Amino acid sequence: MKDLYSFLDQTSNQSDFKANLSNRGGFITFSNSGRRGGVKYFQIGLDNLLQTLKDILANLDVFTDLTDYVEKSWRDNGSAYFTDSVANANSTVQTKPLFSTLSKIIIWANQPDLDSIDPDNQIILTKDSLSKAIEKLEAIAETFRPKSQKRTDRQNTISNQISDSSYLLYLTALRTKPFMLLAGISGTGKSRIVRELAFKSCPSYLQDEDGTTPGNYCMIEVKPNWHDSSELLGYYSNIAKQYVFTDFVKFLLKAKLYSDVPFFVCMDEMNLAPVEQYFAEFLSVLETRKQTESGIKTGALVKGHYFKRIKSVNEYDNVQTDADVYTLLEIPITAEQKEELAKTNSLKTDGLTLPENVFVIGTVNMDDTTHQFSRKVLDRAMTIEMNGGELKDMFGHSSDLEYLPEENVWKIDQFKPKHVNADEVLEAHPAEEDALKTQLADKLDAINQVLKDTPFVVSYRVLNELVIYAGVLLDDGKETEEAINDAVDQITLMKILPRIEGDEDLLGNAKDENNRLCQLMKVVGPKSQAKIKEMNRRLVSGFTRFWP
């Protein structure tokens, strides 16, 4: 996708009406055709154009039939509906130059879909095309504002909605990917964090009476003898001739009923069994996430044909609709939900996919009783190390495991990812596209250069999630450079350092200032540097790793 500056520069060469974005201020210079006595130039601010696009969207029923340029229609309707005074004046005296400029912006924001449109004579006015133009032009306009006058809507970012900043690291990780590992020694509060998130986001209609287990929370105690997915996802019984559904699967079905509520699965002591064995199907499905018009969708965790017959003593299918599934599995539903579910049979046809409001968080102890994580697992997870902090910090947090008043309950948008791939981030932040593409790739290349000839080199998946993490920080109002630096620092901690382990033959002498770990410290951020120093100190014993 071309940036707006280059796009307008290119299209102006093919248009009777020039339009160029200033690179020193938030305005566009445009011209008439010059056919009536010489070319004349005019200027209009990005804010003026934004308001005009919003006016068209708000009055789409009027403008939807004005896709071909008719001077009188555009002059009259511009005068009647353009609330911005600059745009309103131009619509009456420079009608076609303004029309052409607006059309070019819409084509740019929707490229390549509208590349065949002639902006001097046509304009595409749909809800989708206008919304994209407004969003992308808004992002560019923002870069021209003085820092002291940034949009007030940044006050409504996630970081400002959450009063306790100690949760922001977890929320940012989950908004990057809905699978997180919490690592640390026993007793540091790993599983408690998951419960706290559930309590703070649980609406009144899912709260239990005794206040111990939120309805949007499920704990799965991993057992050492788990070597396949049957204990987690269920299995087909050849004896009963039907599928055996687990509590985990039933919890996912419950989550589908409440798409506007975050649901949390706590995989307790996740590495008591080999994660890559019993969790393989989940990890594979996690990588199928795709943005669609109805939200983020995935492949099936449980195939559709397993939902055809449930708890039947006879060998015939007894499920007709999704409502039958919930009834037979004894998952509580309201009368209204039952009525809606009776109209669908998506579970039989599509199977059980991973709901986008479900967040899986594993707690991890690394000791002699547990299994190491393979790089396949670490690649797919956001890992946060919890060291417990000062012992005195334990006091005063009892209220964190209490329900919040309804008006203060944390919403799904504070947890749910907006992007599943890097391209979506670049589309959402066109003004930062070049910086994200070049700087993030360069910084990751520098890390890979240090790790060259080791099994710890990272590839596209890590870069993809690095861009998404930076996008989350940009969504939250951070400046470009700060977002890039923070993202590299945190992704190094969460996804790169956990992969690294070895002896001095692989990493170099611990006292050598040019060993791999010391070289790595030169290309990462301050938080990662502190962890690498700790790892280098352990290397003195002859071996080191990320985990304590």
Side-chain angles (χ1 to χ4, degrees):
M1 176 180 179
K2 288 188 176 69
D3 60 271
L4 182 59
Y5 185 92
S6 302
F7 181 86
L8 290 178
D9 193 49
Q10 176 182 322
T11 54
S12 287
N13 295 329
Q14 306 161 1
S15 170
D16 290 338
F17 304 92
K18 310 302 180 188
N20 299 99
L21 174 66
S22 169
N23 59 5
R24 297 293 297 272
F27 59 86
I28 286 177
T29 300
F30 65 101
S31 76
N32 62 11
S33 64
R35 294 173 181 169
R36 301 178 182 176
V39 177
K40 294 181 181 179
Y41 289 90
F42 313 89
Q43 289 181 336
I44 186 168
L46 299 185
D47 283 338
N48 307 118
L49 291 165
L50 272 168
Q51 185 57 53
T52 304
L53 291 169
K54 292 176 182 177
D55 289 338
I56 295 174
L57 181 60
N59 298 281
L60 195 54
D61 57 328
V62 174
F63 284 90
T64 190
D65 294 326
L66 302 181
T67 54
D68 294 323
Y69 180 73
V70 177
E71 185 165 338
K72 185 178 186 306
S73 299
W74 271 91
R75 184 176 62 243
D76 292 349
N77 285 297
S79 176
Y81 293 103
F82 292 170
T83 60
D84 179 82
S85 58
V86 176
N88 190 293
N90 275 289
S91 72
T92 57
V93 295
Q94 298 298 331
T95 312
K96 194 164 188 179
L98 179 62
F99 172 95
S100 178
T101 301
L102 291 170
S103 182
K104 288 168 184 169
I105 291 171
I106 293 171
I107 294 170
W108 160 76
N110 290 271
Q111 60 181 302
D113 296 343
L114 305 182
D115 286 356
S116 62
I117 300 300
D118 173 11
D120 292 352
N121 295 293
Q122 292 176 289
I123 189 168
I124 302 302
L125 301 177
T126 65
K127 182 178 179 180
D128 184 56
S129 67
L130 287 165
S131 297
K132 286 182 180 178
I134 291 168
E135 179 184 7
K136 293 180 180 180
L137 192 62
E138 189 86 66
I140 293 178
E142 181 67 11
T143 66
F144 290 105
R145 298 180 192 272
K147 290 186 178 180
S148 59
Q149 297 178 12
K150 292 292 184 181
R151 293 198 313 263
T152 55
D153 64 359
R154 280 196 169 172
Q155 297 173 3
N156 196 37
T157 58
I158 301 301
S159 59
N160 284 301
Q161 295 171 17
I162 302 298
S163 58
D164 190 341
S165 61
S166 64
Y167 292 101
L168 286 178
L169 181 60
Y170 307 110
L171 297 182
T172 305
L174 290 174
R175 289 162 63 201
T176 302
K177 198 166 192 178
F179 175 39
M180 182 167 67
L181 298 178
L182 301 180
I185 61 174
S186 180
T188 50
K190 300 183 292 295
S191 57
R192 179 187 172 98
I193 282 290
V194 189
R195 292 182 66 213
E196 289 178 13
L197 295 175
F199 268 100
K200 292 179 182 298
S201 60
C202 187
S204 58
Y205 52 84
L206 288 176
Q207 296 172 7
D208 64 326
E209 292 184 4
D210 56 7
T212 60
T213 308
N216 60 336
Y217 172 80
C218 174
M219 174 177 277
I220 304 292
E221 295 95 350
V222 175
K223 304 296 190 300
N225 62 345
W226 288 14
H227 292 284
D228 59 40
S229 63
S230 60
E231 296 290 345
L232 187 67
L233 297 177
Y235 60 94
Y236 182 78
S237 170
N238 285 316
I239 297 175
K241 302 299 181 183
Q242 59 185 277
Y243 197 81
V244 177
F245 293 90
T246 62
D247 289 341
F248 176 74
V249 169
K250 292 177 183 179
F251 186 74
L252 298 186
L253 288 167
K254 179 181 179 181
K256 289 174 71 71
L257 298 172
Y258 305 96
S259 59
D260 57 345
V261 178
F263 275 64
F264 299 91
V265 178
C266 178
M267 300 290 297
D268 197 35
E269 305 286 358
M270 190 172 192
N271 58 330
L272 277 178
V275 178
E276 63 275 9
Q277 293 181 20
Y278 74 84
F279 215 53
E281 285 89 343
F282 178 91
L283 293 174
S284 296
V285 166
L286 188 66
E287 295 306 302
T288 67
R289 292 182 308 140
K290 183 178 181 180
Q291 198 77 250
T292 70
E293 292 183 358
S294 57
I296 297 173
K297 302 299 182 183
T298 72
L301 280 167
V302 179
K303 302 300 182 184
H305 60 269
Y306 291 127
F307 288 96
K308 292 182 178 180
R309 189 164 64 88
I310 299 173
K311 289 188 176 180
S312 174
V313 295
N314 299 309
E315 293 188 19
Y316 63 86
D317 298 346
N318 62 339
V319 173
Q320 302 301 319
T321 69
D322 290 341
D324 295 333
V325 173
Y326 284 83
T327 301
L328 291 167
L329 291 179
E330 300 177 4
I331 300 172
I333 53 177
T334 65
E336 183 179 351
Q337 289 170 338
K338 186 173 184 178
E339 183 178 350
E340 289 301 312
L341 290 169
K343 301 174 183 177
T344 63
N345 65 347
S346 61
L347 291 170
K348 285 174 59 177
T349 56
D350 302 332
L352 175 61
T353 58
L354 181 64
E356 64 176 322
N357 61 324
V358 170
F359 305 89
V360 177
I361 304 176
T363 67
V364 176
N365 290 327
M366 299 299 289
D367 55 37
D368 294 338
T369 68
T370 59
H371 293 262
Q372 295 285 336
F373 282 99
S374 67
R375 283 186 284 277
K376 172 184 176 180
V377 177
L378 295 174
D379 266 358
R380 289 160 171 78
M382 308 297 289
T383 302
I384 295 178
E385 185 180 21
M386 298 178 62
N387 292 318
E390 299 288 335
L391 290 177
K392 62 184 178 182
D393 293 341
M394 179 194 78
F395 301 104
H397 292 280
S398 299
S399 61
D400 289 334
L401 293 177
E402 295 177 358
Y403 296 119
L404 296 177
E406 194 68 24
E407 64 272 15
N408 295 334
V409 169
W410 294 4
K411 307 302 182 187
I412 184 65
D413 289 342
Q414 294 162 329
F415 299 90
K416 188 172 67 174
K418 290 174 61 177
H419 318 292
V420 296
N421 62 56
D423 286 343
E424 292 172 13
V425 175
L426 300 181
E427 288 182 13
H429 298 279
E432 292 83 14
E433 178 177 355
D434 289 341
L436 291 172
K437 288 167 66 175
T438 57
Q439 292 187 42
L440 291 179
D442 288 348
K443 289 176 184 291
L444 208 55
D445 280 339
I447 292 173
N448 270 346
Q449 191 61 38
V450 175
L451 300 176
K452 187 178 179 181
D453 300 324
T454 73
F456 314 132
V457 173
V458 296
S459 190
Y460 300 121
R461 182 180 289 112
V462 173
L463 177 58
N464 182 67
E465 290 172 15
L466 172 59
V467 176
I468 295 173
Y469 195 99
V472 172
L473 297 179
L474 290 171
D475 291 340
D476 214 21
K478 286 202 172 187
E479 299 297 330
T480 306
E481 287 302 310
E482 183 184 11
I484 287 174
N485 291 332
D486 284 359
V488 172
D489 200 5
Q490 290 295 350
I491 288 296
T492 302
L493 267 175
M494 293 181 184
K495 301 188 78 67
I496 299 176
L497 295 185
R499 300 161 55 93
I500 297 177
E501 63 178 15
D503 56 18
E504 291 187 315
D505 289 340
L506 183 62
L507 300 175
N509 189 291
K511 297 179 181 180
D512 183 354
E513 294 183 356
N514 288 316
N515 71 24
R516 288 190 194 274
L517 294 178
C518 291
Q519 290 181 55
L520 198 55
M521 277 192 280
K522 299 175 184 177
V523 295
V524 299
K527 294 183 177 67
S528 300
Q529 288 173 356
K531 182 63 182 180
I532 294 171
K533 287 180 181 178
E534 175 193 319
M535 294 171 67
N536 197 51
R537 286 195 297 269
R538 287 204 291 268
L539 187 57
V540 174
S541 67
F543 181 87
T544 192
R545 63 178 185 174
F546 173 83
W547 317 99

